[in-house]
Amino acid sequence: MRAVVVNSSGGPEAVEVVETAVPEPGARQVRIKVAAAALNPVDAGVRAGVFGGAGERIGLGWDVAGTVDAVGTDGAWSVGDEVVALHYGTVKPLGTHAEYVVVDADAVALAPSSVDAVHAATLPLNALTAAQALDLLEPAPDRSLLVTGAAGAVGGYAVRLAAHRGVPVTGLARRSDEAFVRSLGAVRFLDGDAEDGGFDAVLDAAVLGEPALARVRDGGRYVGVIPQAEPAPVRGVRTGAVEVSADGARLAELVRLVDEGVLTTRVAETYALEDAAKAHARLDGGGVRGRLVLVP
């Protein structure tokens, strides 16, 4: 089968499409025939060597939508099930940017029925990150929440999920994105020049760090999206960062919200698997709204 890998860290030119053996599922695993797989900033980080793995062949891709085509022992899934999954791991021999991928059975959920595989592939990593970050913040209708990067993939899901719970959300993004951020349910909008602060909690999806921390009230809560990269606590503010985990049950809840029209998936552009390097170059160029998706 074909798979996207890097053999040495670097820019988009380091991305290769190679032929490799089709993986076999073990106990409590399933193999998915990939229909679509999103490209995320973490893939660019892996490609650039941010997470280590020098000298190793590393597979790229975390998100997948496709069809179960083989199951290991003790599995709850059946061949033919249309599914989505998060394949967690920064340094792994094969990722989801391939024709087939093996994942743990408990990382899998049935695919949304209301969108196609390309759109479904944009859900797992970003929506799970947003949901699990909100879990850390414990927002409530009587507490204010600021989401930075509110027009981005993680930030957009966070705004929508929090608003769906009745939390008063303020979204911080570029001024040109105000209408979109408000459409997600934000009751207030800020651009980067605004100096508003005093929020009970901040979800820093834009990875602003200290400037986002400064907007939290004394004794409030800050959560970032890059593990171990959050700023140090100040003024009694608790700081932390979400480390996303594969959770099929939680993913199933997010799928349900897609099918109910609560969450909207966003696709910027699709690329053939063999054009993975071009997709990386587009991602590095910035300004992408929605996710780039690879289609084998």
Side-chain angles (χ1 to χ4, degrees):
M1 71 166 189
R2 295 170 301 149
V4 179
V5 303
V6 290
N7 287 297
S8 60
S9 58
E13 73 282 352
V15 176
E16 301 179 43
V17 180
V18 301
E19 288 288 338
T20 189
V22 176
E24 294 295 333
R28 294 180 294 281
Q29 291 184 320
V30 300
R31 186 173 68 208
I32 299 171
K33 180 176 173 56
V34 179
L39 174 64
N40 289 282
V42 68
D43 295 304
V46 172
R47 183 202 74 215
V50 172
F51 305 102
E56 300 179 46
R57 171 174 285 187
I58 303 172
L60 300 178
W62 291 53
D63 286 315
V64 61
T67 304
V68 174
D69 92 311
V71 297
T73 58
D74 304 321
W77 297 97
S78 301
V79 172
D81 287 339
E82 295 185 3
V83 297
V84 289
L86 173 65
H87 187 26
Y88 177 89
T90 52
V91 180
K92 54 199 177 192
L94 288 174
T96 62
H97 296 170
E99 292 182 288
Y100 295 88
V101 65
V102 167
V103 301
D104 292 338
D106 60 6
V108 178
L110 286 174
S113 60
S114 57
V115 298
D116 61 18
V118 169
H119 283 81
T122 68
L123 183 71
L125 176 59
N126 296 292
L128 281 171
T129 298
Q132 292 170 7
L134 290 173
D135 290 345
L136 295 176
L137 288 170
E138 299 179 326
D142 61 346
R143 298 176 63 199
S144 59
L145 170 67
L146 173 69
V147 176
T148 73
V154 173
Y157 280 133
V159 170
R160 190 70 194 101
L161 287 169
H164 185 59
R165 301 181 193 177
V167 176
V169 187
T170 298
L172 189 151
R174 296 176 182 175
R175 178 57 62 183
S176 58
D177 289 317
E178 179 176 1
F180 172 70
V181 172
R182 288 188 180 278
S183 76
L184 297 173
V187 296
R188 293 184 61 214
F189 176 85
L190 301 177
D191 63 18
D193 295 328
E195 298 181 356
D196 298 50
F199 292 95
D200 294 312
V202 169
L203 197 171
D204 188 16
V207 197
L208 301 179
E210 298 286 351
L213 179 63
R215 297 180 184 271
V216 186
R217 66 164 176 80
D218 293 357
R221 187 71 192 269
Y222 167 102
V223 166
V225 295
I226 300 180
Q228 302 178 359
E230 67 272 15
V234 294
R235 300 180 286 104
V237 176
R238 294 176 295 161
T239 65
V242 61
E243 182 164 3
V244 68
S245 60
D247 183 339
R250 190 64 177 282
L251 183 55
E253 295 175 7
L254 297 166
V255 166
R256 177 178 57 80
L257 293 177
V258 171
D259 285 338
E260 291 177 355
V262 175
L263 295 181
T264 301
T265 57
R266 290 185 287 161
V267 173
E269 195 171 350
T270 60
Y271 289 80
L273 192 68
E274 55 264 29
D275 291 329
K278 293 180 181 178
H280 275 257
R282 176 67 186 91
L283 181 64
D284 282 7
V288 177
R289 286 293 180 263
R291 280 287 171 247
L292 305 175
V293 180
L294 299 180
V295 180

